[in-house]
Amino acid sequence: MYRILTEEKVKKNIEKFLEIDKDFSIIEGTYFVIENKKKFIGYGVLEKDNYNFILKKIFINENYRFKSYGTKLLNFMITSTIKKGNLIAYKDKNLNRFLEKFGFKLMDNFYILENLERSSEREKEGKKTVYYSIFWNIILAISKIFGGWYGRSRALLSDGFNSLSDVATSIGILLGIHFSNIPEDEEHPFGHEKIESIIGIVLGIIMILTSFELIQGSVEIIIAKDYNHTPNITTIFWAGFSSIVKFFMYRQKLRVGLKTNNTALIADAKDSRNDVFSSLGVILGILLSIFVAPIFDTLMSILVALLIFKEGVAVILETTDTILDKQDPELIKEIEKYISENSEVTNIHDIMMRQSGDNIFLSLHIRVPKNMTVYEAHTISEEIEESIITDFPEIKSVIIHVDYLIN
């Protein structure tokens, strides 16, 4: 739990400061406090100096050090107060290592954290990964379609068209990342991130339609008994190359998707993982066609199509949960526990969430004593809101309705 204290409140709570820091003395600046289970465990002091902010002090009780509380407190100080500019901290042998790990750069006799405007790292990483995906999917599509046609492998040809559909889905994700990073406006107060989920559903539909086309073509070949061609042994190379590339694409997409909580990118990562198995299946089908019977190549193309269909349905179901604002019971319990353990509020109810892309918008009700002033109730709700946003990075906004305790 975090609090911003006025000078009056600092003086009122001076004994709590002395409990954690025996050398505590009041200095000029804005005070920030971090609590654990309603107990002071650290504090920081900021002072504004024109365009810059000065970190005059940051202190964590020795019993709570090396547990990331200092990092959490400094993050709260930055996000709650510093919208733009630089943060400066003067050299201190007890803080130098901490400042360097946080990202401060050493100048002559001070450390500086420059340009604290929030950059869209999510957009940059997402676009970089999608460009990488488009490039490799084009390479794979061309190599597998050509290799399947030249090597007479229906399964490899199907896998090539699968990669071609991946190019289209990656372009769709690129559009989703672009539109979802447009700032909120009067008509879209919750932002534009939900477009990622819409793109995810479109991707799922494309995957299903692709699977139907592949199945239809293969079934027609089986009915016509036109499966007497044995694939060329070189087609195994193209399928093996595809499975290796797709594996690394899956790892990269999943890493960035989880890091940025991009549902469309995570869905695309699962499609790449599926492609690894489909390419390995193609190798098996080619081998069986060469050494057992030619029909196995066509049968394997149907299996590849069914895998594409299954993944398409899974993607649609997953992204639909986001659009329909499916509640996360574990997160709701965690929020309730967090508030009850770190504030004076004992009655928390009606916690609801809505999700838009990587952002969660939370609303909840709390009860406070009926004789509490409006100012005091507002201060408590504001502290809870800022603390939740700091300790739960996926939560972008918290709306708190204050009720009163009857007894």
Side-chain angles (χ1 to χ4, degrees), residues 136-179:
W136 279 108
N137 275 322
I138 290 173
I139 297 295
L140 292 176
I142 293 172
S143 63
K144 286 190 286 187
I145 290 173
F146 175 77
W149 171 77
Y150 181 78
R152 296 184 175 185
S153 171
R154 174 76 186 178
L156 186 61
L157 195 64
S158 298
D159 207 24
F161 280 106
N162 182 29
S163 292
L164 200 59
S165 71
D166 290 340
V167 174
T169 59
S170 293
I171 293 173
I173 291 173
L174 199 61
L175 292 172
I177 291 173
H178 170 73
F179 286 112

Side-chain angles (χ1 to χ4, degrees), residues 154 212-227 298 301-302:
R154 174 76 186 178
F212 281 153
E213 286 294 321
L214 295 175
I215 290 171
Q216 181 183 354
S218 297
V219 169
E220 287 174 355
I221 287 174
I222 292 174
I223 293 173
K225 296 184 179 181
D226 186 20
Y227 46 77
T298 306
S301 69
I302 294 176

Side-chain angles (χ1 to χ4, degrees), residues 1 41 47 67 90-91 106 124 135 144 203 208 235 240 248 255-256 263 277 285 296 333 373 396 403 407:
M1 190 74 175
I41 62 170
E47 186 176 44
K67 297 179 180 179
Y90 292 101
K91 291 174 72 174
L106 177 62
K124 291 178 183 177
F135 171 78
K144 286 190 286 187
L203 301 187
I208 290 173
T235 54
F248 286 105
R255 183 187 68 79
V256 176
T263 54
F277 295 110
F296 279 105
K333 285 182 182 177
T373 65
K396 184 177 183 180
D403 297 321
N407 296 321

Side-chain angles (χ1 to χ4, degrees), residues 132-374:
Y132 157 88
S133 175
I134 291 173
F135 171 78
W136 279 108
N137 275 322
I138 290 173
I139 297 295
L140 292 176
I142 293 172
S143 63
K144 286 190 286 187
I145 290 173
F146 175 77
W149 171 77
Y150 181 78
R152 296 184 175 185
S153 171
R154 174 76 186 178
L156 186 61
L157 195 64
S158 298
D159 207 24
F161 280 106
N162 182 29
S163 292
L164 200 59
S165 71
D166 290 340
V167 174
T169 59
S170 293
I171 293 173
I173 291 173
L174 199 61
L175 292 172
I177 291 173
H178 170 73
F179 286 112
S180 68
N181 280 278
I182 298 173
E184 55 267 21
D185 51 43
E186 289 184 6
E187 294 181 346
H188 307 92
F190 294 102
H192 302 77
E193 288 87 351
K194 264 197 185 337
I195 198 168
E196 287 181 6
S197 300
I198 296 171
I199 293 291
I201 290 177
V202 173
L203 301 187
I205 293 172
I206 291 174
M207 290 163 68
I208 290 173
L209 292 176
T210 301
S211 69
F212 281 153
E213 286 294 321
L214 295 175
I215 290 171
Q216 181 183 354
S218 297
V219 169
E220 287 174 355
I221 287 174
I222 292 174
I223 293 173
K225 296 184 179 181
D226 186 20
Y227 46 77
N228 297 317
H229 300 294
T230 301
N232 193 303
I233 194 70
T234 57
T235 54
I236 293 175
F237 166 77
W238 297 113
F241 173 68
S242 173
S243 64
I244 293 171
V245 172
K246 282 291 186 177
F247 173 75
F248 286 105
M249 288 174 66
Y250 158 68
R251 293 283 300 272
Q252 173 70 3
K253 291 177 187 177
L254 186 64
R255 183 187 68 79
V256 176
L258 291 173
K259 180 181 177 181
T260 60
N261 201 19
N262 187 319
T263 54
L265 200 54
I266 292 172
D268 199 34
K270 291 179 179 180
D271 181 43
S272 294
R273 179 192 61 190
N274 210 49
D275 290 342
V276 174
F277 295 110
S278 67
S279 293
L280 293 175
V282 168
I283 294 174
L284 178 61
I286 293 170
L287 289 172
L288 290 173
S289 294
I290 294 172
F291 297 106
V292 181
I295 194 173
F296 279 105
D297 182 61
T298 306
L299 292 175
M300 189 53 66
S301 69
I302 294 176
L303 181 59
V304 170
L306 289 173
L307 288 172
I308 297 170
F309 174 80
K310 174 181 174 294
E311 197 62 37
V313 172
V315 167
I316 290 174
L317 291 176
E318 186 173 331
T319 50
T320 300
D321 284 343
T322 301
I323 290 179
L324 296 177
D325 294 322
K326 183 179 179 181
Q327 302 299 290
D328 184 348
E330 290 186 8
L331 177 62
I332 290 173
K333 285 182 182 177
E334 197 174 349
I335 293 293
E336 186 174 356
K337 180 181 177 183
Y338 178 84
I339 297 172
S340 61
E341 286 185 350
N342 294 287
S343 73
E344 301 299 326
V345 177
T346 57
N347 188 306
I348 309 111
H349 56 283
D350 291 345
I351 302 177
M352 290 182 288
M353 55 176 277
R354 63 166 50 186
Q355 193 167 349
S356 181
D358 64 330
N359 295 322
I360 292 176
F361 298 85
L362 206 66
S363 66
L364 57 96
H365 290 220
I366 62 173
R367 291 191 184 276
V368 299
K370 61 183 179 182
N371 58 348
M372 182 177 283
T373 65
V374 173

